[in-house]
Amino acid sequence: MKKTVFWGVLTVAGLAAGAAAAGTMDDVKARGKLNCGVSTGLVGFSAPDANGEWGGFDVAVCRAVAAAVLGDPSAVEFVPTTGKTRFTALASGEIDVLARNTTWTFSRDVDLKFEFVGVNYYDGQGFMVPKSLGVSSAKELDGATVCIQTGTTTELNLADFFRANNISYEPVPIETNAEAQQQYLAGACDVYTTDASGLAATRATFENPGDHVILPEIISKEPLGPLVRHGDSEWGDVVRWTLNALIAAEEYGITSANIEELSKGTNNPEINRMLGTEGTLGEMLGLDKEWAKRAISAGGNYGEIFAKTIGENTPVGLARGLNAQWTDGGLMYSPPFR
Ligand SMILES: N[C@@H](CCC(=O)N[C@@H](CS)C(=O)NCC(=O)O)C(=O)O
């Protein structure tokens, strides 16, 4: 009995140590594929198309990392995760990175021991209701039934908001966005609450999007970004600087249309360092000179990815808002490439 417990403890500790140990980059290179955790499906962010090909704003992060590390944006195994399963998938080593509208919070960093490498979308939690409900503010939702995804910050913010406003609600717990959509449209709940970007993405797939309104209240801060395990800072650096390369590329005007030309050398030393004609940044990351060039070429710079997947000219229709470059009054700001 004692022995079993002993071995049990050892195995769990061994697994945790194995998963947390350095060497994710070596594992990815040896495998020839990046295991990237995404959602089970959220239009514009991460969803498979009719041919089963994954695309979207979060998927673009996976593809950029695969291009930087493996030289091939399609060398990705997409692993669908729910709000509940995503953290186990990352902690156990099943995935190398989680890129799935996941909010950077204190406890996910410190307690669950993950490292958020940056923010690719600054969001906040909102509410959607059928127009026919005749509600114009979330404060009028006393007694409402609310569809809510389990294992999310949404669940916790909702409880805080209703308590602070001294109103009550009845939660209808669901596991995936598809289920939420189905339940909400079937009238199983009066309200759907999640990240405002998720509401826009969900409403975009409705037959009659105009029959539903998004209420004015944004009740939380949801900085969404990719994350890796604690304990492998080299791998964290690769994912962090790949994301930064996409953001900085937009700031410096590096696009999929001009990147070939610019990577012959320019009179902007920072562009040269990013694209590998000057300095040794790639080598410092354990990669080659053209890692960032490949990352940017995979789907374009941050602004191009945003415009193609979730921007104002897509069905999701999101404005840049807080996600504009800092030079345009937004929060997107890459540290320097030097
Ligand atoms: N940002 C929040 C919520 C994330 C979340 O799960 N959002 C839902 C609704 S937008 C989602 O992505 N669902 C996709 C799926 O069900 O796979 C968190 O990190 O807890």
Side-chain angles (χ1 to χ4, degrees):
M1 175 70 192
K2 256 191 185 153
K3 205 172 167 191
T4 319
V5 170
F6 176 74
W7 283 113
V9 168
L10 244 194
T11 314
V12 171
L15 266 181
T24 307
M25 180 135 88
D26 291 341
D27 293 348
V28 171
K29 282 183 174 166
R31 203 190 296 128
K33 265 203 166 182
L34 174 76
N35 291 336
C36 201
V38 288
S39 73
T40 58
L42 185 63
V43 166
F45 284 88
S46 50
D49 68 12
N51 303 319
E53 178 103 348
W54 284 82
F57 184 75
D58 286 332
V59 161
V61 174
C62 307
R63 295 205 186 278
V65 173
V69 176
L70 299 168
D72 179 2
S74 66
V76 186
E77 185 71 41
F78 290 99
V79 180
T81 65
T82 68
K84 253 184 174 169
T85 62
R86 59 187 153 170
F87 299 124
T88 324
L90 183 58
S92 69
E94 185 190 352
I95 54 176
D96 306 307
V97 57
L98 179 66
R100 177 204 185 279
N101 49 24
T102 294
T103 307
W104 184 346
T105 69
F106 181 102
S107 57
R108 288 171 177 179
D109 176 344
V110 178
D111 192 29
L112 297 185
K113 306 207 181 313
F114 297 127
E115 184 175 332
F116 285 81
V117 303
V119 174
N120 70 335
Y121 193 96
Y122 287 93
D123 208 349
Q125 182 174 337
F127 297 89
M128 176 166 65
V129 293
K131 230 179 207 162
S132 57
L133 205 64
V135 165
S136 58
S137 157
K139 292 182 183 154
E140 295 165 26
L141 292 174
D142 193 16
T145 47
V146 185
C147 275
I148 180 123
Q149 263 185 257
T150 48
T152 60
T153 47
T154 324
E155 215 177 3
L156 311 172
N157 299 326
L158 181 71
D160 287 356
F161 176 79
F162 275 71
R163 194 178 69 181
N165 285 287
N166 213 11
I167 50 179
S168 69
Y169 67 100
E170 203 183 304
V172 179
I174 35 112
E175 293 248 342
T176 66
N177 196 57
E179 196 190 330
Q181 182 167 332
Q182 196 184 0
Q183 297 279 39
Y184 170 80
L185 288 176
C189 48
D190 302 315
V191 189
Y192 182 32
T193 182
T194 186
D195 301 338
S197 64
L199 291 180
T202 305
R203 189 170 66 162
T205 66
F206 289 178
E207 217 168 289
N208 299 308
D211 291 351
H212 303 269
V213 285
I214 293 178
L215 300 177
E217 287 87 357
I218 295 291
I219 65 164
S220 67
K221 287 189 291 187
E222 308 290 331
L224 312 176
L227 54 151
V228 297
R229 287 176 289 280
H230 268 189
D232 189 349
S233 299
E234 284 74 19
W235 177 242
D237 286 348
V238 167
V239 183
R240 171 179 302 108
W241 287 96
T242 299
L243 175 62
N244 285 336
L246 302 180
I247 296 170
E250 180 182 31
E251 180 182 346
Y252 299 127
I254 307 170
T255 68
S256 22
N258 66 17
I259 192 161
E260 279 306 327
E261 194 55 37
L262 296 182
S263 53
K264 291 179 187 151
T266 71
N267 59 9
N268 179 330
E270 187 144 15
I271 293 181
N272 296 347
R273 284 191 293 273
M274 280 176 70
L275 299 183
T277 52
E278 269 182 49
T280 56
L281 297 188
E283 199 182 310
M284 294 175 199
L285 273 182
L287 298 173
D288 64 356
K289 279 180 180 301
E290 300 204 323
W291 67 281
K293 178 186 172 190
R294 288 193 302 273
I296 300 160
S297 300
N301 67 38
Y302 178 85
E304 291 179 276
I305 295 168
F306 193 107
K308 261 187 288 191
T309 55
I310 55 173
E312 285 180 306
N313 295 325
T314 69
V316 181
L318 294 167
R320 286 293 292 269
L322 287 178
N323 300 295
Q325 289 284 333
W326 66 286
T327 43
D328 289 332
L331 296 176
M332 284 297 148
Y333 181 110
S334 166
F337 277 74
R338 73 154 64 253

